[in-house]
Amino acid sequence: MRAGKYEVKAKGHGSSFMPMSVTLSEDKITDIVVDSRGETKGVADEVFKRLPKEIVDNQTLNVDAVSGATISSHGVLDGVAQAINEAGGDAEEWKNRAKPVIKKAADEEITTDIAVVGAGGAGLAAAARSLQHGKKVVIAEKFPQFGGNTARAGGPMNAAEPDWQKNFKALAGEKETLEKLAETPIEKIDPEYRDDFKDLQKQIQQYINSDAEYLFDSNLLHEIQTYLGGKRVDLKGNEIHGKYELVKELVDNALDSVKWLTDLGVKFDRDQVTMPVGALWRRGHKPVEPMGYAFIHILGDWVKAHGATVLMQTSVKHLLVEDGQVTGFVAEKDDGSKVTVHAKAVILASGGFGANTPMVQKYNTYWAKIDDNIATTNSPAITGDGIELGLEAKAKLFGMGFIQLMPVSDPKTGELFTGLQTPPENFIMVNQKGERFVNEFAERDTLAKAAIDNGGLFYLIADDKIKATAYNTTQESIDAQVKAGTLFRANTLEDLAKQISMDPAVLTETIKKYNSYVDQGEDPEFGKSAFSLKCEVAPFYATPRKPAIHHTMGGLLIDTKARVLNENGRVIPGLFAAGEVAGGIHAGNRLGGNSLADIFTFGRIAANTACSEQNASDATSGASEH
C-alpha cells in the first residue's frame, strides 16, 4: 500500500456520515481515528472505542460488529476498507484474514445484596438507589455498553411542576383542550378515577375563570391524561386501562425523580418546557445534554464510581428460585463462560420486547397485522428476556396484547431522530397526496392508525423557523441527509412537492389552510389542540415517516412497591421489576414522555423496597440470634 494518512467518510448510526482518518504503512494499519461527533451519543460509543483497537491489534477487517451498533460497526469497517483500496491495497483480502480468537474465561460465582438485570435507565436508577442505601450491587448487561432504549430516548421526561410551568405562556388551543377534557361525561370515567376526575374538573374551572394566560398543570391532570391516554379496547373486545394505584404512584413521584436525577448531576433546561409526540401536554423536563445519553452517562458513571460490580456482555439465562423465593440468577458471558450470582433480591429492568418481532406478533391483539419486516425504534437488546425470566418464577402478565407503534419513525431504519423531528405543536403531517389527515397533537396510536389508513408513508413538513425547534439536529446533519436523499429541501413549497411526487397545488393549499388555523388558534378540519408556528419561511423541508414498533405496553404485573406478582396476585419474594418489562401502568397506549418518568420512578421504588425488606429481614434475624 502507499503509506500515508487517508481521510474517508463512513455511514453512521443516524443519517450522518462520520469523517475518519486512517493511517497506513506499506503493509499495516497503524492508526484509526473516528470523528463521531455527528453520531447519537450513547448508541454506538463502544464501536469507536473497540473496533479501531481490534483492527489495529489484529491487522484484520474480519472482526465482529459490536452488539447493538451494527450500522456504525460496518461504517467503521467500510471506512477502513475504503482507505485500504485508495492506498492501492486489497480490502477483500483484509476482510478474509483470520478472526481474533476470544478466550473463554473461567466460570465464576458472585454473592451480593441486589442483582440488577439490564443497564438501561431503570436498571441504572435501581442500582444507584441501592448503592445509596449502602448495598452491594451487581449489574448484568447483555450488550457491551450501558443505555438500552433510554440511550435512544428523545429526552423530555414528564412531571407536573405547576410552579415552574406557570412561567410559560399557554399555547393557542390549550385552554380549549382543558375545557373539553372537563366536559367528559362522568360515566365514561372508571369508578376508581371518578373522585380525582371531579377534583380535576374543579381545578380546570378555577383556572379558566381566572383568565390566566400561563401553562396550567397538576398531578391530577397528569394522572387523568395517563389513564385516558392508555384506556383502550383490543380487536377481541378486551378493555384495558392503567391500574389506579400504579398510575397515581407514577404521577405523584415523577417530580421527585427529576429532583433525584438533578442531585446526581443531570442538568435540566429550565428555560423551556416541551413534550414529545403523543404526550398530550407540555410537562417535559428536557436535559441540557442531548437525548437519553444525558441520563445514561451520569447514572452509569455514578454507579461505577460508587462500587457496583458491572458484568457487560453477560446475558441472564435463568433465575435461581428456592422454595418460591428468587435468590439470584445464572448468566452467560459472550465468551461462553458462566456466571452465577447469588442475591437477596433481583430487579428485572431489561426492557420490553419491541426488537423481537415474532414475540410481538405472538402477543399482539391490538393491530390487525404486524408485518414481518416492520422496523423498530428499539435497541436490538430489547427482546423480551425479562418477561421470560419472570415467567420462570410464575409471574402474572398484564396487557401483553397492546403494542405501541411510533408514528414518526424513519421508514427504513425505524430511528426517531433522522430528518427534522419537532415538538408536536409544530408538526404538519401530510399524506402522499399532500393533504393533512389527523390531529397532530393526538396520542401515538391515533397517529399511527391514521398513517396506516393513509398508506403508511407520510411526511412532516417544516419551514426554516420550525426547523429551529427540531431535536438534536445540526446544519451539517441536515445537509448530509438532504444529500443522501433521506430529507427533502426546497426554496418553495411547489418545488418541495415535486421532489416528493405530490401535486404542488394540493400541498400549497394544505399549508395555506394550516397557517390560517394557526392564526385563528383553531383547527376546524381535525381539531388540533395546540399550535405554535406557521409554515411560511423558506427553505421548506419534508421528512418521510412511517410507523414502527416502539413500546410493548404489557409486562410482568407489579404492585406499587415494584414487587412482581404471581397468578394469584401474591408477591413473589425477592423479585422486582421496573420500566418496560413491567405492566399495569400505561395499559393500552403510553403517553410520550411517560417512559422516562416510569423508569426513574419505579427503578428507585424497586430499590427502596428491596433494600428496606432486606434491612427488616436482617434486623429480625439479628434479634432472633440474640
Side-chain angles (χ1 to χ4, degrees):
M1 297 182 292
R2 292 184 296 275
K5 184 181 287 189
Y6 292 82
E7 306 296 335
V8 295
K9 284 194 173 183
K11 180 73 173 67
H13 168 75
S15 293
S16 59
F17 286 82
M18 304 177 292
M20 291 175 55
S21 174
V22 182
T23 305
L24 306 173
S25 68
E26 290 184 354
D27 60 353
K28 284 185 172 58
I29 303 169
T30 60
D31 193 30
I32 302 168
V33 178
V34 183
D35 181 353
S36 60
R37 285 177 296 179
E39 287 288 273
T40 303
K41 283 189 173 183
V43 172
D45 297 0
E46 192 65 22
V47 171
F48 314 126
K49 293 178 191 172
R50 180 185 303 187
L51 276 195
K53 186 176 188 309
E54 278 193 25
I55 293 168
V56 173
D57 287 352
N58 297 283
Q59 292 299 303
T60 178
L61 291 183
N62 188 9
V63 295
D64 289 331
V66 174
S67 298
T70 305
I71 295 172
S72 297
S73 297
H74 287 302
V76 171
L77 292 169
D78 291 345
V80 179
Q82 181 185 338
I84 289 171
N85 286 335
E86 285 183 12
D90 182 0
E92 286 303 311
E93 186 271 326
W94 283 79
K95 291 176 183 178
N96 290 322
R97 292 186 177 188
K99 181 176 284 192
V101 177
I102 299 175
K103 293 181 181 179
K104 181 180 177 180
D107 294 345
E108 59 180 317
E109 292 202 26
I110 302 171
T111 300
T112 190
D113 295 318
I114 307 289
V116 179
V117 181
L124 293 176
R129 191 67 185 136
S130 298
L131 289 164
Q132 287 180 327
H133 285 300
K135 301 299 182 183
K136 289 191 295 183
V137 176
V138 170
I139 307 170
E141 167 55 49
K142 73 177 183 181
F143 270 24
Q145 64 184 39
F146 288 168
N149 272 351
T150 309
R152 297 164 182 250
M157 173 182 169
N158 283 347
E161 189 179 354
D163 290 343
W164 170 60
Q165 288 163 280
K166 283 181 180 178
N167 296 316
F168 302 95
K169 193 175 186 300
L171 294 178
E174 285 182 332
K175 280 191 178 181
E176 290 76 8
T177 298
L178 292 173
E179 290 176 314
K180 186 176 178 181
L181 174 62
E183 291 166 2
T184 304
I186 195 69
E187 60 270 17
K188 290 191 175 182
I189 304 295
D190 286 279
E192 65 269 36
Y193 285 95
R194 285 179 184 170
D195 287 345
D196 286 356
F197 180 69
K198 290 175 184 176
D199 288 341
L200 174 62
Q201 286 178 311
K202 293 175 185 175
Q203 288 182 352
I204 291 173
Q205 194 57 56
Q206 185 176 358
Y207 169 70
I208 298 298
N209 291 344
S210 72
D211 291 325
E213 295 298 320
Y214 62 78
L215 172 63
F216 168 84
D217 204 5
S218 69
N219 283 2
L220 286 177
L221 178 59
H222 190 188
E223 173 196 316
I224 296 301
Q225 286 182 321
T226 297
Y227 150 64
L228 290 176
K231 185 174 180 176
R232 293 293 184 270
V233 177
D234 71 4
L235 298 173
K236 298 180 179 180
N238 299 312
E239 189 272 348
I240 192 173
H241 60 268
K243 293 186 174 295
Y244 171 78
E245 62 276 11
L246 292 177
V247 172
K248 188 160 181 59
E249 194 74 18
L250 172 67
V251 302
D252 287 350
N253 289 283
L255 185 57
D256 283 342
S257 295
V258 172
K259 293 175 180 177
W260 179 74
L261 289 164
T262 301
D263 289 342
L264 289 182
V266 177
K267 292 182 173 60
F268 288 94
D269 183 352
R270 304 293 289 177
D271 294 328
Q272 63 169 318
V273 60
T274 186
M275 61 174 276
V277 59
L280 295 182
W281 205 249
R282 291 185 297 143
R283 58 173 64 94
H285 294 68
K286 193 174 189 300
V288 173
E289 287 188 274
M291 309 203 313
Y293 175 77
F295 305 109
I296 293 300
H297 93 86
I298 292 291
L299 285 168
D301 291 349
W302 198 94
V303 299
K304 288 176 183 175
H306 288 79
T309 299
V310 179
L311 306 174
M312 302 304 293
Q313 292 179 273
T314 303
S315 300
V316 178
K317 300 296 185 182
H318 298 287
L319 293 179
L320 297 175
V321 184
E322 299 175 12
D323 298 325
Q325 169 133 359
V326 175
T327 60
F329 58 70
V330 177
E332 187 178 289
K333 292 194 169 184
D334 66 336
D335 63 7
S337 61
K338 186 170 82 169
V339 184
T340 303
V341 176
H342 303 282
K344 297 172 184 175
V346 173
I347 299 175
L348 299 176
S350 52
F353 52 99
N356 186 341
T357 303
M359 191 171 176
V360 169
Q361 292 169 325
K362 171 186 173 182
Y363 282 108
N364 167 57
T365 59
Y366 191 61
W367 301 95
K369 185 183 179 185
I370 299 289
D371 291 332
D372 292 343
N373 61 350
I374 190 170
T376 179
T377 64
N378 284 235
S379 158
I382 311 302
T383 54
D385 307 11
I387 304 289
E388 300 299 332
L389 291 170
L391 290 175
E392 284 188 345
K394 306 287 193 295
K396 182 178 177 61
L397 300 179
F398 182 89
M400 292 290 286
F402 292 83
I403 311 297
Q404 183 173 86
L405 302 185
M406 172 57 79
V408 288
S409 304
D410 187 288
K412 293 182 179 178
T413 67
E415 293 177 51
L416 284 177
F417 297 102
T418 57
L420 294 177
Q421 189 73 268
T422 66
E425 64 264 26
N426 294 326
F427 274 4
I428 308 174
M429 297 169 64
V430 302
N431 61 20
Q432 294 166 61
K433 294 179 182 178
E435 301 167 336
R436 284 179 69 224
F437 58 92
V438 71
N439 164 18
E440 295 94 337
F441 219 69
E443 297 100 325
R444 288 173 175 176
D445 61 339
T446 300
L447 299 177
K449 284 181 176 179
I452 291 169
D453 290 343
N454 280 265
L457 179 69
F458 65 95
Y459 295 88
L460 294 175
I461 306 300
D463 72 348
D464 200 52
K465 282 191 175 181
I466 292 173
K467 178 197 79 175
T469 69
Y471 301 121
N472 195 38
T473 300
T474 64
Q475 190 61 49
E476 182 184 23
S477 172
I478 290 172
D479 293 342
Q481 291 181 74
V482 170
K483 186 177 180 180
T486 56
L487 174 66
F488 300 90
R489 177 172 60 196
N491 286 323
T492 67
L493 286 169
E494 288 83 357
D495 285 347
L496 188 68
K498 290 174 185 176
Q499 287 186 39
I500 51 181
S501 303
M502 288 176 186
D503 183 339
V506 173
L507 181 62
T508 53
E509 179 62 21
T510 294
I511 300 304
K512 180 181 176 183
K513 284 195 290 186
Y514 180 87
N515 288 341
S516 72
Y517 302 157
V518 175
D519 282 334
Q520 64 195 41
E522 184 182 356
D523 173 12
E525 279 190 286
F526 298 101
K528 184 169 183 178
S529 45
F531 297 92
S532 183
L533 298 174
K534 292 194 288 186
C535 181
E536 56 187 358
V537 180
F540 300 94
Y541 297 87
T543 300
R545 300 283 90 172
K546 189 177 183 180
I549 295 171
H550 184 59
H551 195 98
T552 47
M553 307 306 306
L556 308 174
L557 184 60
I558 60 171
D559 66 8
T560 56
K561 296 186 180 299
R563 299 176 295 194
V564 178
L565 306 179
N566 66 16
E567 288 287 349
N568 298 318
R570 296 192 181 95
V571 169
I572 300 172
L575 188 62
F576 302 82
E580 197 175 350
V581 72
I585 303 171
H586 310 291
N589 174 71
R590 178 178 61 72
L591 299 190
N594 266 6
S595 62
L596 290 170
D598 174 9
I599 61 178
F600 297 126
T601 297
F602 279 92
R604 288 189 303 119
I605 289 171
N608 289 341
T609 308
C611 294
S612 65
E613 288 184 356
Q614 283 180 30
N615 292 341
S617 176
D618 291 344
T620 302
S621 61
S624 63
E625 287 172 11
H626 289 294

